Amino acid sequence: MKNSVNLNDEDLLTGAFNVMISHINKKMQGSLPVKVTKVSDDRKFVNVQPQILVVDSEGGTISRSEIKGIPIHTEGAGNFLISFDIAVGDKGWIQASDRDISLFKQSYEESKPNTKRMHSFSDARFIPDIMTDFAIDQEDVGALVIQNRDATVKITLSPSKIKLKAPTLDIETTGLFKAVCSGGIDLNGVTIDAIGTA
């Protein structure tokens, strides 16, 4: 019989499954690099432009649509957090959730999915990532480093010391400033052996 498909033909079955899996994968959204197009004043949400183009059936490329209102991943727990001054043009990643999180975003409490939507960038979070154009000083290898791009301002934590670097070091406090030193103080080579409070 013409144009018949033998279901026992392993090659045909494999090809059919591969096509089916390919179609399923195209519908699932996981993670993509993005560029920030807008930041909320409270640093909680961004609009982003995905940086991976869509390739059409003829080999042409199409920009993906801007995605709005994506929660920013802010590292933190308890009463402490780290918040970055995210600006338009900064890069990062969006990561899709397995289910619709729209109701969860309203309460930040246990919630049911509002729709049957799955693996969609509509339910993504934004993870900031500086990606390129930064330099870590060789002296900071093995240390935890918080710094600007060119390392002119930084805090480094290593197993033996904490270093602060800045063109001008301003320390500002709104409360009592108290310093207790049990190991002595070295000011430009002059050592003061004392335990005191300033």
Side-chain angles (χ1 to χ4, degrees), residues 168-183:
T168 302
L169 187 60
D170 291 332
I171 299 175
E172 183 177 330
T173 178
T174 57
L176 175 67
F177 178 74
K178 182 178 180 182
V180 178
C181 181
S182 60

Side-chain angles (χ1 to χ4, degrees), residues 1-176:
M1 183 177 176
K2 267 190 171 183
N3 300 324
S4 63
V5 176
N6 183 355
L7 296 180
N8 293 319
D9 189 323
E10 184 177 345
D11 290 336
L12 287 175
L13 280 175
T14 300
F17 277 121
N18 286 341
V19 169
M20 181 178 69
I21 290 169
S22 176
H23 281 298
I24 292 171
N25 286 339
K26 285 178 182 178
K27 295 293 183 183
M28 292 177 63
Q29 297 177 327
S31 181
L32 282 179
V34 295
K35 182 183 288 187
V36 174
T37 56
K38 184 178 180 181
V39 187
S40 65
D41 292 337
D42 60 7
R43 294 191 185 187
K44 292 182 179 178
F45 297 93
V46 289
N47 294 357
V48 297
Q49 175 67 52
Q51 297 298 285
I52 303 300
L53 298 168
V54 175
V55 180
D56 63 27
S57 58
E58 297 178 354
T61 55
I62 306 167
S63 292
R64 295 174 187 262
S65 299
E66 180 187 37
I67 305 171
K68 299 180 179 180
I70 304 299
I72 298 169
H73 174 81
T74 302
E75 198 74 31
N79 290 322
F80 297 94
L81 59 92
I82 300 172
S83 177
F84 296 104
D85 183 21
I86 297 170
V88 171
D90 283 349
K91 291 189 172 67
W93 303 84
I94 49 171
Q95 186 176 51
S97 299
D98 290 341
R99 298 290 187 275
D100 181 340
I101 63 170
S102 56
L103 292 180
F104 174 79
K105 288 193 295 182
Q106 293 176 25
S107 65
Y108 287 92
E109 300 290 344
E110 188 174 29
S111 306
K112 67 178 183 179
N114 193 38
T115 67
K116 294 182 179 180
R117 186 171 63 217
M118 300 170 67
H119 305 287
S120 169
F121 289 141
S122 297
D123 305 304
R125 62 175 176 156
F126 171 71
I127 304 170
D129 187 345
I130 203 165
M131 294 190 189
T132 60
D133 301 324
F134 66 92
I136 302 295
D137 290 338
Q138 185 64 32
E139 65 186 34
D140 296 326
V141 171
L144 184 153
V145 181
I146 301 173
Q147 67 168 56
N148 61 354
R149 277 188 192 270
D150 60 6
T152 56
V153 177
K154 64 181 177 179
I155 303 171
T156 62
L157 284 74
S158 63
S160 60
K161 61 186 173 182
I162 299 172
K163 291 194 307 181
L164 304 176
K165 177 183 176 183
T168 302
L169 187 60
D170 291 332
I171 299 175
E172 183 177 330
T173 178
T174 57
L176 175 67

